[in-house]
Amino acid sequence: MFIDKVISRANQINSRLCIGLDPHYKIIIKQLGFSSVFKFNQAIVDATYDLALCYKPQIAHYSACSLEKDLEQTIEYIHNKDDNLTVILDAKRGDIGSTAEYYAREAFSRFNADATTVNPYLGAESIKPFLSDPTKGVIALIRTSNPSSADIQCQLIGHEPLYQYIAKLLIKETADNPNLLFVMGATDTEAIQRIRSDFLNHWFLVPGIGAQGGSLTDTIKAGGTNLIINATRSVIYPQWDGKGDYFEQVRNAATKLHQQINSLISRS
């Protein structure tokens, strides 16, 4: 099962760190001088794979620039590093019927991702096709980290916010499938605490640490240890003055965050 691989690697290397792979083509090719996005991703992975629980490429950063081949090569390269090193394809797909089946095929058959993010706002039927393979994970958008998400996700349904209602609905409609995870943004730790109180053992993918300003301390206090904590810009685009090795700076940023996470978890 997907979640078994996540837990196995988390225990194996003592990590909750997920590294986002969102390439900015002009920076990578023109400023850093790489011949391809894949080569850049390869160097990121080489510098950080022993610290990373998983990697999370964002599909739009590839498809908008016709870089699907680079994405395929990146995922294959990550898998070759370690059998338990997983890839979350951040695609945020959401549709029904055969369309959802094709989106699942895109993520899992074409790109060979281990999990993908999905938008559940078309109802539980829109994510069930993604859960048909027990080796794959599905990570539903519940409470996202962007500021305007509260305009919708925090609206009350009875006495509870919409995000909580949807999380409960998905768990019920998918028979509490352990391969179903939730996106819970670090910018709303009250929401993390609320959903954690409902679901003690489910894993959360947590964006919003780093460039978006989420509190790592408050996130771990609210969410416990079953967290996949994502960082993208703060790791793969570190402050660099053009001197020294760029990827040494990448590793330093990943190491610092990895150590901070582990220190806080050990105290939780």
Side-chain angles (χ1 to χ4, degrees), residues 204-216:
F204 300 162
L205 172 64
V206 183
I209 296 291
Q212 293 186 62
S215 167
L216 184 60

Side-chain angles (χ1 to χ4, degrees), residues 176-190:
D176 199 12
N177 191 317
N179 282 329
L180 175 65
L181 288 70
F182 294 149
V183 173
M184 298 298 302
T187 50
D188 187 350
T189 52
E190 181 181 342

Side-chain angles (χ1 to χ4, degrees), residues 41-61:
N41 287 347
Q42 186 179 42
I44 293 287
V45 172
D46 286 345
T48 60
Y49 77 93
D50 59 322
L51 303 170
L53 172 58
C54 55
Y55 290 91
K56 184 178 73 65
Q58 212 294 324
I59 194 169
H61 285 256

